[in-house]
């Protein structure tokens, strides 16, 4: 009887963990799906479909050492940047245009996509974390 109760408790714990994980997982998939669409619309022209960049004009996002600083990436997506910057040892000095029309949620979805695809992450960068970062950009 005690053993049965024990395995029942273990089972309930397992079910609880699974459903909790899958809610997070569903959210992650939703962010990524939106992120892919946004990337194709607003970024792929320059950085290309696989994030490989374009010659000496547009830096690669895939494998970019710039991704180390996520707050900088979040600000860059909305406010753009006027070089020069160095990515993986190579200099770039063309401007990346600002995209002020992107909402906080869209910036969060793009960031989630970038870091899941090219930053080695498998989690959401929630809009709740992105909003305060966007407020600080340029300070
Ligand atoms: C008109 C071309 C263009 C578009 C569109 C564009 N970028 Fe960029 N991006 C650039 C250039 C040029 C740089 C280098 C800027 C510099 O020299 O300061 C850059 C730099 C970056 C960097 C930092 C370096 C790197 O590549 O790792 C990231 C990350 C990035 N862009 C992401 C994005 C995302 C996400 C979008 C879409 C929301 C986007 N860019 C849209 C041209 C573009």
């Amino acid at each position: 009887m005690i053993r049965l109760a024990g395995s029942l408790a273990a089972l309930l714990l397992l079910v609880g963990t699974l459903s909790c994980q899958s809610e997070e997982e569903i959210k992650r998939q939703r962010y990524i799906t939106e992120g892919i669409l946004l990337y194709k619309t607003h970024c792929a022209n320059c950085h290309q479909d696989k994030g490989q960049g374009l010659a000496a004009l547009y830096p690669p996002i895939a494998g970019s050492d710039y991704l180390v600083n996520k707050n900088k990436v979040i600000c860059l997506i909305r406010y753009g940047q006027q070089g020069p910057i160095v990515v993986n040892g190579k200099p770039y000095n063309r401007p990346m245009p600002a995209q002020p029309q992107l909402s906080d949620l869209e910036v969060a979805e793009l960031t989630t996509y970038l870091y899941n695809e090219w930053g080695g992450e498998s989690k959401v960068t929630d809009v709740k974390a992105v909003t305060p970062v966007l407020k600080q950009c340029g300070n």
Side-chain angles (χ1 to χ4, degrees):
M1 196 55 197
I2 289 169
R3 262 174 87 181
L4 188 64
S7 21
L8 198 64
L11 187 68
L12 286 175
L13 194 70
L14 182 70
V15 171
T17 319
L18 283 180
S19 67
C20 182
Q21 269 182 353
S22 64
E23 244 171 66
E24 199 46 38
E25 181 56 19
I26 288 166
K27 185 173 183 182
R28 188 175 76 99
Q29 293 301 340
R30 208 179 61 222
Y31 265 61
I32 291 176
T33 307
E34 291 301 321
I36 291 173
L37 292 174
L38 289 163
Y39 182 84
K40 284 196 198 307
T41 312
H42 301 287
C43 321
N45 263 354
C46 296
H47 294 285
Q48 308 297 302
D49 263 351
K50 297 197 163 54
Q52 72 271 37
L54 193 65
L57 299 177
Y58 305 121
I61 300 177
S64 165
D65 48 20
Y66 196 97
L67 297 181
V68 170
N69 191 336
K70 193 186 273 186
N71 288 1
K72 256 172 101 176
V73 172
I74 289 170
C75 289
L76 166 84
I77 290 175
R78 162 118 16 109
Y79 297 106
Q81 187 167 275
Q82 175 80 61
I85 62 168
V86 176
V87 175
N88 299 344
K90 287 196 206 155
Y92 296 87
N93 58 12
R94 295 173 59 114
M96 169 162 152
Q99 307 216 37
Q101 82 281 10
L102 294 172
S103 69
D104 290 13
L105 178 60
E106 288 173 324
V107 173
E109 289 163 346
L110 276 161
T111 305
T112 298
Y113 170 58
L114 255 54
Y115 279 83
N116 279 263
E117 188 70 19
W118 299 304
E121 284 189 356
S122 51
K123 62 175 191 203
V124 169
T125 302
D126 200 281
V127 63
K128 289 197 199 99
V130 165
T131 296
V133 175
L134 285 170
K135 287 213 174 89
Q136 292 292 315
C137 296
N139 286 347

